[in-house]
Amino acid sequence: MEQVQIVEVGARDGLQNEAEVIATPDKAQLIDRLLRAGVRRIEVASFVNPARVPQMADGEAVIAGLPDRPDVSYIGLCLNKRGVLRAIASREGGARGVDEAGCVVVASDSFGQRNQGQTVAQGIAENVAMLRLAREAGLVPQVTISAAFGCPFEGSVPPERVIDIARAMADAGAVEIALADTIGVAVPAQVEELFGRLAEAAPGVAMRAHFHNTRGTGIANAWAAYRSGVRVLDASLGGLGGCPFAPRATGNISTEDLVFMLDRSGVASGVDLDALIAINGWFAEVLGRPLPSMVAKAGGWSGRAATP
Amino acid sequence: MEQVQIVEVGARDGLQNEAEVIATPDKAQLIDRLLRAGVRRIEVASFVNPARVPQMADGEAVIAGLPDRPDVSYIGLCLNKRGVLRAIASREGGARGVDEAGCVVVASDSFGQRNQGQTVAQGIAENVAMLRLAREAGLVPQVTISAAFGCPFEGSVPPERVIDIARAMADAGAVEIALADTIGVAVPAQVEELFGRLAEAAPGVAMRAHFHNTRGTGIANAWAAYRSGVRVLDASLGGLGGCPFAPRATGNISTEDLVFMLDRSGVASGVDLDALIAINGWFAEVLGRPLPSMVAKAGGWSGRAATP
């Protein structure tokens, strides 16, 4: 059976656009429930400036409460060297901490400057240093190229630029490169093309895909990525998400919808759909509103039992 | 440039699940606006029992008001011979009427009995007669196999059964066969497999695909169908839709979302995205609520101009 690894990003990318700050114990419970549903790789915090993203200000507290499971890989998002240093610090004194430094380099100057105060060139230089720092400290050095399919300010992003960035990241020791459609404008044909090029440009590096469903194409893009050889897909519970610095960006692809598609396609993810739907119901109560996931609304469908 | 023909089903499949009956002039205006947006093939009515589907009771009145355009093909949905006779009658006395008899055969006994009072075997026999009747009267004889990807009552539908039905329909003179995911459970791998088999089983017959986005996979399925050689896709403005006799079935794939995907993939549909978004805004006012389309909410994205 084919397999896909899901990286659950609901507790980080999913929450960071929420106006109201979610309490640390609720975040801890969200992570714990997701692990019990079968998630084995999960974004738990973003080491950003708490003044800019108050939702992520309790990152260290969330990490301190994580279950010490050897079968789970925790990801801390790092936008600069300072972020990597916080990721490293999370492991000091024998603490569990995070396992991976999820570095981020942006594929457009305008978005990069707004999101993390860096041009593309500055972002590449910073990430080269961040990946080295992470590796030396024993963290898994991986990187996401954001706005890889389009920029909210500049429009189209040349594929050549994305591939050049990817080459630089591979040379700097990234063990995995994600291409992220931060603003939800990617379409399957573009996904196939860009991952095809990435596979050629960085053959030894694992590929990951990160899609938002802003214009309804997120699940289609996930399948196109799968068909292009990608075996690691980001998704967020219920389709939570957005980006505080990308206008109109809406939710990530929903983990429920992705798992439904994979299950029915004979692709194993190890994540249990019914458990996800139950978590969705609980977390919708925490937030006080329904989440965008379609499957959670419609119900899973085994294809065996009668529905009504 | 590759081309796809969109069959707009908003005025029929889109509306038939609306609790409140839409006034005939609003339906006429909806159709007219869609034609001005570039739609050239459109479902305009369903010849069903008005007592069962009151929303469709004004079919003849809608048809009587259609613009007499030679470049447009109007489809009337026919669930039985009586429906085909009404389609034929719409052209009597030199009236424009409908151009196509959109016949429907159901791929499961339980759903067929609830939807149109027919088992699969009865449906095949009825549709053979319907297609002949339509052809003899000069209507385009085409057929949709509904619940082809799953049944709300029985669960999985064997692909062999769908293909057997398709063969019978091709033998009876259907010029086009649509596979419909009436309840929104299809996934891309299944779409690729079933249309692959259909192409082999009925090589001379055009293939059409009809998807609902009930579980978020509709646009992914549309792309999978396109990649499997399908060049005709059903969609409804705003993702309107549902089926009164299929529990939990929700909207068709949204024409806006489909056109966005096709445009950005370099596939021409002839339908203008900005015009669709404008129609969506108008029709949401008619209905008094927003429509599910994601693109209409997020805005189209040229990939050239800056967004904010």
Side-chain angles (χ1 to χ4, degrees):
Chain A
M1 198 176 189
E2 287 290 333
Q3 300 207 326
V4 155
Q5 181 183 57
I6 291 177
V7 175
E8 171 62 45
V9 300
R12 197 280 307 170
D13 201 9
L15 293 186
Q16 72 178 18
N17 212 28
E18 289 294 320
E20 207 153 316
V21 173
I22 308 298
T24 309
D26 284 333
K27 290 180 184 171
Q29 197 178 152
L30 175 61
I31 293 165
D32 192 53
R33 286 180 186 236
L34 287 164
L35 298 182
R36 279 187 279 133
V39 168
R40 291 296 174 265
R41 209 170 153 205
I42 183 164
E43 277 189 3
V44 293
S46 179
F47 298 116
V48 287
N49 183 343
R52 288 199 82 203
V53 188
Q55 186 67 264
M56 292 291 116
D58 63 350
E60 274 78 2
V62 170
I63 293 166
L66 292 172
D68 184 14
R69 293 177 58 152
D71 59 338
V72 172
S73 192
Y74 296 119
I75 304 168
L77 206 75
C78 305
L79 300 191
N80 46 37
K81 285 194 287 289
R82 195 183 163 86
V84 178
L85 292 173
R86 284 173 66 188
I88 294 169
S90 76
R91 297 152 66 93
E92 278 169 8
R96 174 64 166 86
V98 297
D99 302 286
E100 306 182 33
C103 301
V104 181
V105 56
V106 180
S108 96
D109 286 333
S110 315
F111 185 58
Q113 278 163 329
R114 279 176 180 82
N115 196 60
Q116 54 217 70
Q118 295 164 355
T119 61
V120 172
Q122 289 169 332
I124 291 173
E126 183 80 4
N127 274 268
V128 166
M130 290 158 66
L131 289 166
R132 183 177 308 126
L133 203 54
R135 195 176 56 248
E136 287 170 0
L139 287 164
V140 175
Q142 47 101 333
V143 66
T144 295
I145 304 177
S146 75
F149 298 88
C151 165
F153 308 104
E154 295 178 16
S156 287
V157 168
E160 297 72 29
R161 189 195 297 157
V162 176
I163 297 306
D164 286 346
I165 298 171
R167 272 204 201 90
M169 297 299 102
D171 290 347
V175 297
E176 180 186 74
I177 296 174
L179 301 183
D181 179 25
T182 312
I183 57 169
V185 294
V187 292
Q190 187 186 17
V191 169
E192 291 164 9
E193 196 221 330
L194 207 51
F195 276 106
R197 287 199 192 194
L198 177 61
E200 280 177 29
V205 179
M207 299 193 292
R208 195 173 91 233
H210 177 101
F211 296 115
H212 285 249
N213 197 36
T214 314
R215 288 169 183 83
T217 57
I219 292 290
N221 293 336
W223 185 250
Y226 172 76
R227 289 295 299 264
S228 306
V230 175
R231 289 296 177 270
V232 189
L233 294 167
D234 287 3
S236 76
L237 177 81
L240 282 164
C243 173
F245 307 110
R248 287 178 156 182
T250 53
N252 294 90
I253 58 169
S254 145
T255 313
E256 299 92 307
D257 297 6
L258 179 62
V259 169
F260 170 80
M261 179 181 71
L262 295 174
D263 279 357
R264 293 253 306 144
S265 303
V267 180
S269 69
V271 182
D272 183 74
L273 182 55
D274 291 333
L276 287 175
I277 293 173
I279 301 171
N280 178 305
W282 162 74
F283 202 67
E285 280 182 36
V286 171
L287 287 183
R289 60 175 170 76
L291 311 184
S293 161
M294 298 292 287
V295 166
K297 272 194 273 288
W301 192 80
S302 67
R304 281 166 275 117
T307 300
Chain B
M1 198 178 191
E2 287 289 334
Q3 300 207 326
V4 154
Q5 181 183 56
I6 291 177
V7 175
E8 170 62 45
V9 301
R12 197 281 307 172
D13 201 9
L15 292 186
Q16 71 177 18
N17 213 27
E18 289 294 320
E20 208 153 314
V21 173
I22 307 299
T24 309
D26 284 334
K27 289 179 184 170
Q29 197 178 153
L30 175 61
I31 293 165
D32 192 55
R33 285 180 186 237
L34 288 164
L35 297 182
R36 278 189 277 134
V39 168
R40 290 296 174 265
R41 210 171 152 203
I42 183 164
E43 277 189 1
V44 293
S46 179
F47 298 116
V48 287
N49 183 343
R52 288 198 83 203
V53 188
Q55 186 66 265
M56 292 289 119
D58 63 350
E60 275 78 2
V62 170
I63 293 166
L66 293 172
D68 185 14
R69 293 177 58 153
D71 59 337
V72 173
S73 193
Y74 296 120
I75 304 168
L77 206 75
C78 306
L79 299 191
N80 47 37
K81 285 194 288 288
R82 196 183 161 86
V84 178
L85 292 173
R86 283 172 67 187
I88 295 169
S90 76
R91 297 152 65 92
E92 277 170 8
R96 174 65 165 83
V98 296
D99 302 286
E100 305 182 34
C103 301
V104 181
V105 56
V106 180
S108 95
D109 286 331
S110 315
F111 185 57
Q113 277 163 329
R114 279 175 179 81
N115 197 59
Q116 52 217 73
Q118 296 164 353
T119 61
V120 172
Q122 289 168 334
I124 292 174
E126 182 81 4
N127 274 267
V128 167
M130 290 158 66
L131 290 165
R132 183 177 307 129
L133 204 53
R135 196 177 56 249
E136 287 170 0
L139 288 163
V140 175
Q142 46 102 333
V143 65
T144 295
I145 303 177
S146 74
F149 297 89
C151 165
F153 307 104
E154 295 179 15
S156 288
V157 168
E160 297 72 28
R161 190 195 296 159
V162 176
I163 297 307
D164 285 347
I165 297 171
R167 272 203 201 89
M169 297 298 102
D171 291 346
V175 298
E176 181 186 73
I177 296 174
L179 302 183
D181 180 24
T182 311
I183 57 169
V185 294
V187 292
Q190 188 185 16
V191 170
E192 291 164 9
E193 196 221 331
L194 207 51
F195 276 106
R197 287 200 192 195
L198 176 60
E200 280 178 29
V205 179
M207 298 193 293
R208 196 173 90 234
H210 178 102
F211 296 116
H212 285 249
N213 198 35
T214 314
R215 288 169 183 83
T217 58
I219 292 289
N221 292 336
W223 184 250
Y226 173 76
R227 289 296 300 264
S228 306
V230 175
R231 289 296 176 271
V232 188
L233 294 167
D234 287 3
S236 77
L237 176 82
L240 283 163
C243 172
F245 308 109
R248 287 176 158 182
T250 53
N252 294 90
I253 58 170
S254 145
T255 313
E256 299 92 305
D257 297 7
L258 179 61
V259 169
F260 170 80
M261 179 181 71
L262 295 173
D263 279 359
R264 293 253 307 143
S265 302
V267 179
S269 69
V271 182
D272 183 75
L273 182 56
D274 291 334
L276 287 175
I277 292 173
I279 301 171
N280 178 306
W282 162 74
F283 202 67
E285 280 183 35
V286 171
L287 286 184
R289 60 175 168 76
L291 311 185
S293 161
M294 298 292 287
V295 166
K297 273 194 272 288
W301 193 78
S302 68
R304 281 166 276 119
T307 299

